Structures are given as C-alpha cells and as structure tokens.
Amino acid sequence: MNFRRQTGYFMLLVPALLLFESCRREEPLPIGKHQGKQTTPVNPSALYPASFGAPFLPSDNPFTEEAMYLGRMLFYDPILSRDSTVSCASCHRQDKAFAQPTKVSAGIFGIQGNRNASALFNMAWQRALFWDGRHRRMRDLIFEPIQDHREMAMNIPLLDAKLKRTPRYKEWFARAYDAEPDVFHMSLAMEQFLLSIVSANSKFDRFFPRNLSVFTPQERDGFFFFNETPDDTIRPATGADCFHCHGGIHAQTIDPSVGIVNNGLDEVITDKGLGGITGRSFDIGKFKAPSLRNLSYTAPYMHDGRFATLEEVIDHYSDGIDFKSPNLSPLINHGNRHLKFTPAQKAALLAFLRTMDDSTLVTDPRYSNPFR
Ligand code: HEC
Ligand code: HEC
C-alpha cells in the first residue's frame, strides 16, 4: 500500500492547542465547607498524564482521597435507585470501559432508554457531556440518570433520606466533607470519582506523538490511513480522514463547537441529537464524536448502538455515508462519493484502532466496585 505520509502531523495540533487552555474556572460555591477536617489531598498532576494537556477541573471541589472513595462507593451503590436494584455501574460496566454491551441502555424494571450508554474515561477533558453535549458540569449531570424514570427513577428527597440513614455514608460524608450525608455533597463526591477515571495506558500512548517503532507494519499503515486526507477524485481512497473528528491524544475533538457533528448515519432523523437541545434546525442529527479509545470493550457503537462490530463501523465510513443526511459534516463529504476502502485498508484501520485499547482500565482497582 502506498499511503501518503504528510498529514499525520495534524495529530499534533490538537494537544498543542490544549496546552494553551487554562483550567476551567467555576463560580465558588455559596455554602458549605466542601472539605473534611483531615482529608488527604490528591494532586491532579499525580492522576493525569502531561501528554493529555490541561484538564478542565472545577476549582471548588479539590480532589481528596476520601471524597474520591466516597464517590466511588456511590457510583456502585444501588441505593441510588428507587427500588435499590440499579447503580450507575449497572449501565457503566468497568469490564466494558464503563459502557454497556447492549444497543440501548436498560435500567430500572428492565425499561429501555433510547441511547447507547457512553463509555466513561478521560472525562476531565470533556467539555460537553452526553451524546448531544447537553451537560457541561459533572455534578449537574449526575442528577439526570438518578431521576430518569427509565434509569434509576429516584426522587431527590427520598434519596437524601436514604443516604442519611445509611451508616457507611454518615461515616464517609463526615470524613470527606465534614458534613451529614446530602445530595449536594453526593454530587461533589461523584464528580471527583468520575473525573479521576483516566485511560492512558495503551500502545497508542506509547506511540504518541510519533514513536512509530511501537507499531506493527499493519498498525502503522492504519495510523497513516486514519490521518490522511483523501484525494477526492481517486477511489479507493488514499486516506480515510478520521482525524478531523477523532484526532490527537484523546482520539476525539473535545472542543464542542466543532466536535458535535453529523457523520451521515441517516437520511431521516429520529433522534435529533444536538438539535433536540438547541431547537435549531441546523443542529438536527448532530452528535458528539466520541473518543476512539477502548473500542474493543465498548461495542455496540454510535448513539443508538446500531453497529455491533467495528467492521460495520468501518463499512459505514467506507461505503455507507448518507449524503442526504441533514447537516452532514463537510469534513466527511468527499465530493458526494463514498471513499471505498480496500480490504487491506480496512484491516489496517482496524489494527490501528485496536492500539488504543487500554487493558488496565477495565481492571484498575482504583475504579472497581468497593463493595466486593
Ligand atoms: C439505565 C442505564 C444507565 C444508568 C443507570 C446510568 N447511566 Fe450514565 N449513561 C447512560 C446512557 C444511555 C448515556 C448516554 C445518554 C445520552 O447521551 O443521552 C449515559 C451517559 C453518561 C455520561 C456521559 C459521558 C460522556 O462522556 O458524555 C456520564 C458521565 C454518565 N452517564 C454517568 C452516570 C452516572 C454517574 C450514573 C449514576 C448516577 C449513571 N450514569 C447511571 C445510561 C445509564
Ligand atoms: C465529521 C466528523 C467525523 C469523521 C471524519 C469521522 N467520524 Fe467517527 N464519529 C463521528 C460522530 C459524530 C460519531 C457519533 C455519531 C452518532 O452516534 O450519531 C462517530 C462515531 C464513531 C465511532 C463509534 C464510537 C462509539 O463509541 O460508539 C467509531 C468507532 C468511529 N466514529 C470511527 C471513525 C473512523 C474509523 C473514522 C474514519 C474512517 C471516523 N470515525 C471519521 C464523527 C466523525
């Protein structure tokens, strides 16, 4: 195969831009102390790899070992649901990189939602959460699954009361926040745990930014194919041009103003995505381009879990883009013609994608169920 090699440098642009961003600043909280008397502070630089750029951390919820552990307990605790059967981890399974291996999620009483449960890692760099990017702050997002009648179907006063009468929470809310259990401090602790989940131990991390020697020849071909722009007049394509939406160390465009787009799945849109949030017709059909890390664990794929395998995903980008899809991203429309990858190009792309698997995330004891 003769892939052109110049465009791989785009991979370097995204993290370089990130370094110039400062940490996200939040308004200081009006009430409460938000820290216990004898907590053990955790320096974010001990959690996060420098290569990832500056994380977007709330300034009013400093990491402590106690609050992170409390957040982890709450994440795994089914008492957060109405009938104490469903925890966050029911849908966000560690062995699946915190995704759920079903098309759309199933929650309390077996009721199905309409979207595929997102994988959860490297969220400290996410500026828009959920498939449609409707949340910015983790502590606010948490209340949505807890109250959703299809997910955990809980109400807040009941949850507050349940937390207050659980002895382990009396102990741990005091340790972490010097406070009685309540849903506000609950959301802070869960925010800490979620923001602490990092996946940075893949072959791709050993490669980044340009140590090509870690790759097999096929992975290397896949890397170049992923990062090259096709010549729109030639078929099969000379490059697959994935990097515009999934490039850089995060394998994702994390700037929501350009990272929430339509990748051409359907002509007729049933789930409006971003358009359902903003109410604007030019946002209909736009979804967040997710990170392509850990794909071997996170099947099925897309916001509705329509593709069971990565082969199907690659076939979509090769032969399946729907050019009539409303608001189709211009970055994916190469002259209204399918790119038509060869079998060797598809195999190389797949091999490269698998270099972004991190087998330590799925067993890391820092994120595992503390009740076992
Ligand atoms: C019934 C299954 C279910 C349960 C239970 C559940 N989730 Fe989710 N989660 C989902 C689905 C589905 C999505 C995608 C929703 C969307 O985009 O509209 C999601 C998305 C998320 C995201 C967005 C990640 C990103 O990068 O955009 C976060 C964070 C999250 N969930 C955290 C939690 C937490 C914390 C809990 C427990 C309080 C929880 N979830 C409980 C199914 C579930
Ligand atoms: C124009 C931006 C864009 C380009 C270019 C692009 N994608 Fe995507 N990708 C997206 C969006 C948006 C989604 C989510 C779409 C949805 O669920 O509706 C997505 C989803 C995916 C998913 C599913 C991930 C998951 O967790 O469900 C995979 C895998 C993927 N893309 C791989 C690729 C590959 C490989 C290429 C290159 C051949 C590529 N993408 C090119 C925007 C893009």
Side-chain angles (χ1 to χ4, degrees):
M1 274 177 286
N2 176 25
F3 297 139
R4 288 169 310 135
R5 313 242 135 159
Q6 68 276 29
T7 40
Y9 293 103
F10 282 105
M11 300 273 297
L12 299 172
L13 262 174
V14 176
L17 287 173
L18 265 176
L19 289 172
F20 293 106
E21 300 238 17
S22 55
C23 291
R24 189 170 57 177
R25 293 259 171 261
E26 306 287 353
E27 289 295 305
L29 293 168
I31 40 157
K33 290 191 230 158
H34 320 308
Q35 218 162 320
K37 290 198 178 88
Q38 287 184 316
T39 45
T40 322
V42 176
N43 189 335
S45 63
L47 298 176
Y48 300 142
S51 58
F52 275 30
F56 309 110
L57 296 176
S59 57
D60 59 2
N61 191 15
F63 284 127
T64 65
E65 275 178 19
E66 291 76 11
M68 273 161 50
Y69 183 71
L70 172 59
R72 181 172 150 212
M73 283 199 283
L74 291 159
F75 183 84
Y76 282 96
D77 200 335
I79 76 162
L80 268 59
S81 66
R82 173 162 298 250
D83 64 355
S84 298
T85 59
V86 178
S87 73
C88 307
S90 308
C91 296
H92 297 288
R93 282 174 42 181
Q94 186 178 15
D95 63 329
K96 303 292 176 193
F98 296 101
Q100 195 181 27
T102 51
K103 252 177 96 142
V104 291
S105 69
I108 196 160
F109 316 129
I111 303 174
Q112 289 205 334
N114 60 340
R115 288 193 181 156
N116 179 249
S118 313
L120 305 181
F121 53 80
N122 302 345
M123 288 173 289
W125 292 271
Q126 292 285 325
R127 281 185 287 174
L129 296 158
F130 283 141
W131 283 102
D132 46 23
R134 67 186 177 277
H135 276 293
R136 299 282 146 125
R137 286 212 305 183
M138 198 56 92
R139 73 185 64 160
D140 304 329
L141 172 148
I142 286 157
F143 290 103
E144 210 178 303
I146 291 177
Q147 295 178 94
D148 190 317
H149 66 280
R150 300 161 307 180
E151 300 197 0
M152 301 166 97
M154 192 52 156
N155 73 53
I156 297 305
L158 190 59
L159 176 56
D160 208 71
K162 254 175 146 181
L163 292 172
K164 284 190 165 63
R165 63 169 187 258
T166 307
R168 66 173 169 276
Y169 290 130
K170 267 198 164 336
E171 179 190 342
W172 279 94
F173 277 76
R175 281 204 203 181
Y177 290 111
D178 200 17
E180 278 286 297
D182 64 39
V183 292
F184 171 64
H185 291 95
M186 175 199 80
S187 72
L188 294 184
M190 294 181 83
E191 175 172 80
Q192 287 204 17
F193 171 65
L194 291 160
L195 293 178
S196 78
I197 301 175
V198 174
S199 178
N201 191 18
S202 65
K203 195 184 228 190
F204 179 68
D205 291 286
R206 290 186 284 286
F207 151 80
F208 202 85
R210 202 122 181 126
N211 180 11
L212 281 165
S213 65
V214 304
F215 287 153
T216 65
Q218 192 186 41
E219 289 163 354
R220 200 176 307 180
D221 285 347
F223 163 75
F224 286 116
F225 192 54
F226 184 96
N227 284 291
E228 276 163 19
T229 353
D231 178 332
D232 284 345
T233 61
I234 301 175
R235 297 292 178 277
T238 48
D241 198 351
C242 310
F243 73 92
H244 271 116
C245 303
H246 302 286
I249 187 81
H250 293 285
Q252 178 183 31
T253 299
I254 53 178
D255 178 349
S257 65
V258 281
I260 304 184
V261 293
N262 178 353
N263 68 341
L265 294 171
D266 298 305
E267 181 177 345
V268 178
I269 304 286
T270 45
D271 183 338
K272 290 187 185 151
L274 181 63
I277 304 303
T278 63
R280 299 187 299 214
S281 61
F282 57 84
D283 286 335
I284 288 175
K286 292 185 182 172
F287 290 89
K288 182 168 75 167
S291 169
L292 301 189
R293 287 172 172 269
N294 299 310
L295 290 172
S296 293
Y297 306 106
T298 62
Y301 307 101
M302 304 297 165
H303 69 273
D304 53 5
R306 68 176 62 196
F307 297 133
T309 65
L310 283 176
E311 285 82 353
E312 287 174 44
V313 173
I314 291 174
D315 286 345
H316 164 70
Y317 287 109
S318 169
D319 314 294
I321 304 286
D322 191 328
F323 299 113
K324 297 211 191 86
S325 193
N327 309 312
L328 180 67
S329 168
L331 293 171
I332 214 166
N333 186 349
H334 300 284
N336 268 331
R337 294 162 71 207
H338 290 127
L339 290 176
K340 299 222 166 287
F341 309 155
T342 65
Q345 287 172 329
K346 289 183 182 180
L349 192 51
L350 186 61
F352 168 65
L353 292 176
R354 296 213 193 277
T355 69
M356 293 190 271
D357 294 341
D358 171 0
S359 62
T360 58
L361 171 72
V362 295
T363 53
D364 193 321
R366 290 173 302 171
Y367 317 136
S368 67
N369 188 342
F371 299 117
R372 280 198 198 129

